[in-house]
Amino acid sequence: MDVSVNAPEVGGAFGKPDEQPETAAGRYLPRPKGQRDGVALCLSGGGFRAALFHLGALRRLNELGILSKVDAITSVSGGSIISAHLATQIRNWPAPGEVFADWEPVVAAPFRAFAGRDLCTGPVLQILLPWNWFRAGSQAAALRRRYHERLTSLKLSELGDRPKYVFCATDLVFAANWKFERDRVGHRQAGYAQRPENVSVATAVAASSCFPPLFEPMGLPVPADHIQGGRFQPEQRRQELLRGIRLSDGGVYDNMGLEPVWKDSSVVLVSDGGAPFQFVESRMPWHRLKRYVDIAARQGSTVRKRWLIGQMIEGVMDGAYWGVASSPQRYHASYPGYSKELAEECISRIRTDMNRFSDAEIAILENHGYLLADAAVRQHAEQLASVAAPLAVPHPEWMDEGRVRKALANSRRQLTLQRFLDLFRA
């Protein structure tokens, strides 16, 4: 049996993948509960919508003393944006069980200001400039500069020991999950560049959020000869393939960021702000073509989600999952929050771009993530909480569902008058 092609990595954030046995069981089977260790938090992709949803979830995890217990944070696209912000703003991570006291002024308020500005229009339009027509990577470079100016100036090597940050992108050459970590970048198939001193966190976030088709993929962020090891070794093709690596949005491979932690974490918390699947009739040929792509993407994420929750039910790992299309009442009828109907019909359909978000969109998403994380943890991972913190909804004035529906009436549209004006301010 050939088990060598595109095999998922063994271990990841806590394991030692290079030391695992080269057997089918060692490569594919998750570790039993007694051999797992650490608390992992996975922040999904989904542009500013996901990032703001995660902001609310992180706030509640912090209040309960859970966030400080997290050993690894994996992230994709929008999740990588908020993850980089967290790494930059909280340089001294609290001891396990403690609460970061200055959340609102240090973390929440600056991020709301960040999401209130257009991020991607300028970088996207780089391709229209004549001097960029024959120069690859101009969009990704512009996006990286935006992140460096507005989000973080850290290098990967400046990230702390705890938690371990793993920013995920998609390697289009090897069809693998490319990981940016403090001590290495790469993946099992191609190999790793160890101690990437000159790779910035902004580069990692840009690669993680180069969503197609608006952004062209990013080129290899390190010299090809710095990448060593790897399971792909044919010398006549290796260097050629390494030089040709292109990195796209991490959600192309794994939109929940589970790949680095699914096999060896004892607790996995997943905050999923990704787009739910819409049930629509397929009429025109071009619409069906998009539908084929959507269904192919859905089957991968559905399998991951089913596997994750199944492993939690069977007791292989502990943890909780919450998704943007759900409601706290789905966990227990007594939990406060937006209704399932509102979540499905309005909140989960908020656009996933990185243009300027309105105050209403920001507040509603932060509230929703906050209340869903509270419900999921209370129902499935209450043992993690070390602080009995009462609920304090970030924006109580936005809990009226009628007001929310009215405010989000045009949110799913990709271009409003305000966003058209933002094109000239980017």
Side-chain angles (χ1 to χ4, degrees):
M1 178 176 63
D2 183 3
V3 295
S4 64
V5 179
N6 292 330
E9 288 202 17
V10 178
F14 307 109
K16 298 178 180 179
D18 296 333
E19 297 178 8
Q20 296 302 313
E22 287 297 319
T23 65
R27 190 173 299 133
Y28 288 98
L29 290 181
R31 293 179 178 177
K33 189 166 186 175
Q35 296 179 20
R36 290 173 171 267
D37 185 37
V39 178
L41 173 61
C42 304
L43 303 176
S44 79
F48 276 175
R49 183 184 72 193
L52 291 161
F53 178 73
H54 301 327
L55 176 65
L58 291 166
R59 185 186 195 112
R60 187 54 180 161
L61 295 179
N62 178 59
E63 291 175 353
L64 294 172
I66 296 174
L67 185 60
S68 59
K69 296 179 179 180
V70 170
D71 299 293
I73 299 178
T74 66
S75 59
V76 178
S77 193
S80 289
I81 297 173
I82 185 65
S83 183
H85 178 74
L86 199 66
T88 304
Q89 298 301 106
I90 307 181
R91 300 294 290 136
N92 296 314
W93 199 249
E98 292 187 355
V99 173
F100 182 73
D102 297 324
W103 185 269
E104 175 60 29
V106 175
V107 179
F111 195 77
R112 288 195 291 266
F114 172 81
R117 298 177 63 189
D118 178 273
L119 179 76
C120 71
T121 302
V124 167
L125 295 181
Q126 288 292 312
I127 199 68
L128 300 180
L129 300 175
W131 51 87
N132 288 331
W133 289 352
F134 304 102
R135 186 174 65 178
S138 59
Q139 290 178 312
L143 185 61
R144 182 185 67 243
R145 289 193 296 270
R146 281 284 173 90
Y147 285 133
H148 186 271
E149 294 164 0
R150 300 183 185 180
L151 185 67
T152 179
S153 60
L154 290 178
K155 293 182 178 180
L156 288 176
S157 59
E158 295 174 324
L159 294 172
D161 292 330
R162 187 174 173 276
K164 181 176 184 179
Y165 291 93
V166 184
F167 302 94
C168 300
T170 299
D171 176 358
L172 298 179
V173 171
F174 288 90
N177 185 60
W178 180 281
K179 298 182 293 186
F180 290 87
E181 306 172 38
R182 186 188 69 171
D183 298 322
R184 63 180 187 174
V185 298
H187 57 75
R188 183 180 178 87
Q189 290 289 332
Y192 293 93
Q194 306 290 338
R195 296 178 294 279
E197 297 290 337
N198 296 319
V199 179
S200 67
V201 174
T203 297
V205 179
S208 183
S209 59
C210 281
F211 56 91
L214 285 181
F215 283 97
E216 59 183 343
M218 176 184 288
L220 189 64
V222 294
D225 58 3
H226 287 195
I227 300 177
Q228 302 296 322
R231 299 183 62 243
F232 185 85
Q233 287 297 331
E235 289 302 325
Q236 67 272 23
R237 295 194 61 206
R238 176 175 168 79
Q239 288 303 310
E240 176 186 352
L241 289 175
L242 291 179
R243 287 192 296 269
I245 283 178
R246 294 293 180 269
L247 303 179
S248 187
D249 189 297
V252 175
Y253 186 85
D254 172 16
N255 199 50
M256 287 188 288
L258 280 169
E259 190 73 14
V261 298
W262 71 279
K263 279 198 171 185
D264 59 359
S265 304
S266 59
V267 179
V268 177
L269 303 172
V270 178
S271 183
D272 188 0
F277 192 73
Q278 301 296 325
F279 303 107
V280 296
E281 183 181 359
S282 179
R283 295 188 181 95
M284 305 305 290
W286 55 85
H287 186 271
R288 287 197 293 272
L289 180 61
K290 180 180 182 301
R291 198 66 173 169
Y292 297 146
V293 176
D294 290 343
I295 292 173
R298 173 179 168 80
Q299 61 88 18
S301 62
T302 299
V303 169
R304 288 181 190 273
K305 181 178 174 181
R306 287 175 177 170
W307 177 89
L308 172 73
I309 295 174
Q311 294 290 284
M312 291 177 179
I313 292 172
E314 291 181 353
V316 176
M317 68 175 75
D318 295 320
Y321 166 94
W322 55 92
V324 70
S326 190
S327 166
Q329 288 84 52
R330 294 296 296 271
Y331 294 90
H332 195 280
S334 66
Y335 293 164
Y338 299 122
S339 68
K340 176 66 173 175
E341 293 74 22
L342 184 70
E344 286 185 338
E345 296 168 9
C346 296
I347 301 176
S348 67
R349 299 190 183 187
I350 293 175
R351 57 204 168 90
T352 58
D353 57 41
M354 297 185 295
N355 293 325
R356 174 187 175 188
F357 266 45
S358 69
D359 291 343
E361 291 170 322
I362 291 170
I364 293 163
L365 284 165
E366 190 175 359
N367 281 353
H368 193 41
Y370 178 91
L371 291 165
L372 267 175
D374 177 77
V377 166
R378 279 206 280 171
Q379 192 69 17
H380 297 296
E382 194 170 19
Q383 75 280 3
L384 292 176
S386 56
V387 179
L391 281 174
V393 180
H395 309 279
E397 71 278 13
W398 280 105
M399 289 306 299
D400 179 81
E401 295 206 357
R403 188 184 183 200
V404 169
R405 284 185 180 276
K406 184 176 180 180
L408 298 182
N410 295 318
S411 180
R412 73 189 69 177
R413 297 179 183 174
Q414 293 300 305
L415 188 63
T416 63
L417 175 60
Q418 181 60 58
R419 284 173 216 148
F420 180 77
L421 294 174
D422 284 343
L423 297 179
F424 300 96
R425 300 173 181 165

